[in-house]
Amino acid sequence: MSRFLPDRFTLMLICTVILASVLPISGEPAEYFGLATKLAIALLFFLHGARLARDVVIAGILHWRLHLAILLVTFGLFPLIGVSLGYIPESILPAPLYMGVLFLCVLPSTVQSSIAFTSMAGGNVPAAICSASASNIFGMFLTPLLVGLLFTVGGHGGGFSLDAFGQIFLQLLLPFIAGQALQPWIGDWIRSRKKLLAPVDRGSILMVVYLAFSEAVIEGIWQQFTLRDIGVVVAINIVLLAVVLCVTMFGSRLLGFNKQDEITITFCGSKKSLASGVPMAGAIFAGQSIGAIVLPIMLFHQIQLMACAVIAQRYARAAKAKELETANIKTALT
């Protein structure tokens, strides 16, 4: 049953939302906290750049068919589904929450969990490392561009602007480039201290969530949406994930990928990054309340972890059973 329970980070997110609902930060303290949040996010992306070894990128590029398939799902299939969800009546899915779902659909893939589930299931781990990392790099450009295209065309507002790109460049891309530039000298040191640096990953996201929901609570988010609205978002997230999992799993088989690559495409193609999504929301929708926008991402985060944990274990059991069957056949022949 433990795989169906929220992980520790999800519980921390829930506690952060509760804290923001009870004690929202505002005024001058919120300004200083917002500055600290931006610095924490810059440090987070600096560490992401410094962790990514260049030889991994070079080696992974050679498997271009796999990476192309994952990128097409992440930045092609997901946005198409997101646009189609716009036909749901606003009486069922309120417009602010739909904006959050649409924003979720244009985000890059996760890095840590994609690699972890690929490894657990016996997939192509080097390809997963390269593909998930490439998704986040491309996402710094593609996500704001897709927001500008889809949100403007759909009349939802919050579209892309040069100011938004400048925010992303300063907060996310520039620190990432700096980390990559220093990677040959500090990369090994940072990769060897994952536990020491983990608080930066999670802490920066919690800071953004607390600030976002503080603003949203002050503006009356919990009076604006009901439990039924939240339930609708959960149901949409489940259907969205189920559709993409089926497409990646069975589509990779139809395209002739082997089992290891199928696993990699399934887990890397079906994920959406909370770590990248929350900071990007703050940069792209600067000056706007983003509580309703990040809420679908937070819900999707836990849903994808629970679903992929079950699928990864099924893959692992199937691989183990096949190995045992092969061993029994060899024993019988000898």
Side-chain angles (χ1 to χ4, degrees), residues 187-252:
D188 291 337
W189 185 86
I190 290 177
R191 284 188 290 271
S192 65
R193 288 163 175 79
K194 292 181 179 179
K195 291 185 178 179
L196 180 65
L197 299 175
V200 178
D201 283 343
R202 298 185 174 188
S204 58
I205 298 172
L206 293 174
M207 290 173 70
V208 176
V209 169
Y210 177 66
L211 186 64
F213 271 88
S214 291
E215 295 175 355
V217 167
I218 293 172
E219 294 182 7
I221 185 174
W222 299 129
Q223 288 75 40
Q224 186 179 2
F225 304 117
T226 65
L227 287 176
R228 184 194 72 86
D229 296 330
I230 306 302
V232 169
V233 174
V234 171
I236 289 173
N237 281 346
I238 291 173
V239 172
L240 176 63
L241 180 62
V243 169
V244 175
L245 281 170
C246 289
V247 170
T248 52
M249 188 180 299
F250 297 109
S252 57

Side-chain angles (χ1 to χ4, degrees), residues 2-55:
S2 61
R3 65 175 178 262
F4 296 105
L5 298 177
D7 60 85
R8 183 180 300 177
F9 181 54
T10 299
L11 294 176
M12 293 170 69
L13 282 172
I14 295 172
C15 291
T16 301
V17 172
I18 294 174
L19 177 62
S21 300
V22 177
L23 295 173
I25 189 170
S26 61
E28 188 174 347
E31 294 180 7
Y32 288 114
F33 189 81
L35 177 60
T37 300
K38 290 180 179 179
L39 294 175
I41 291 300
L43 177 59
L44 170 64
F45 277 82
F46 172 81
L47 294 176
H48 278 317
R51 288 173 184 172
L52 184 58
R54 293 178 189 173
D55 57 344

Side-chain angles (χ1 to χ4, degrees), residues 67-81 105 107 244-245 247-248 265-266 268-272:
H67 303 312
L68 180 60
I70 292 173
L71 289 174
L72 286 175
V73 171
T74 303
F75 298 111
L77 177 62
F78 260 111
L80 287 175
I81 298 175
C105 290
L107 290 177
V244 175
L245 281 170
V247 170
T248 52
I265 293 171
T266 298
C268 293
S270 62
K271 294 286 192 306
K272 287 296 179 179

Side-chain angles (χ1 to χ4, degrees), residues 100-261:
V101 173
L102 185 58
F103 181 67
L104 161 70
C105 290
V106 301
L107 290 177
S109 176
T110 62
V111 177
Q112 289 92 339
S113 62
S114 294
I115 297 169
F117 285 128
T118 299
S119 176
M120 184 191 306
N124 188 336
V125 175
I129 294 172
C130 179
S131 183
S133 302
S135 177
N136 275 259
I137 295 171
F138 287 131
M140 293 185 198
F141 302 96
L142 293 176
T143 294
L145 291 175
L146 286 170
V147 166
L149 175 64
L150 300 182
F151 280 60
T152 302
V153 171
H156 304 293
F160 175 74
S161 65
L162 290 177
D163 182 63
F165 183 79
Q167 291 282 342
I168 289 176
F169 180 79
L170 290 175
Q171 292 183 39
L172 312 182
L173 187 57
L174 188 59
F176 182 88
I177 294 173
Q180 263 290 288
L182 295 176
Q183 190 273 145
W185 295 279
I186 65 175
D188 291 337
W189 185 86
I190 290 177
R191 284 188 290 271
S192 65
R193 288 163 175 79
K194 292 181 179 179
K195 291 185 178 179
L196 180 65
L197 299 175
V200 178
D201 283 343
R202 298 185 174 188
S204 58
I205 298 172
L206 293 174
M207 290 173 70
V208 176
V209 169
Y210 177 66
L211 186 64
F213 271 88
S214 291
E215 295 175 355
V217 167
I218 293 172
E219 294 182 7
I221 185 174
W222 299 129
Q223 288 75 40
Q224 186 179 2
F225 304 117
T226 65
L227 287 176
R228 184 194 72 86
D229 296 330
I230 306 302
V232 169
V233 174
V234 171
I236 289 173
N237 281 346
I238 291 173
V239 172
L240 176 63
L241 180 62
V243 169
V244 175
L245 281 170
C246 289
V247 170
T248 52
M249 188 180 299
F250 297 109
S252 57
R253 296 175 188 175
L254 292 174
L255 292 174
F257 287 99
N258 61 34
K259 180 60 70 174
Q260 285 189 325
D261 290 344

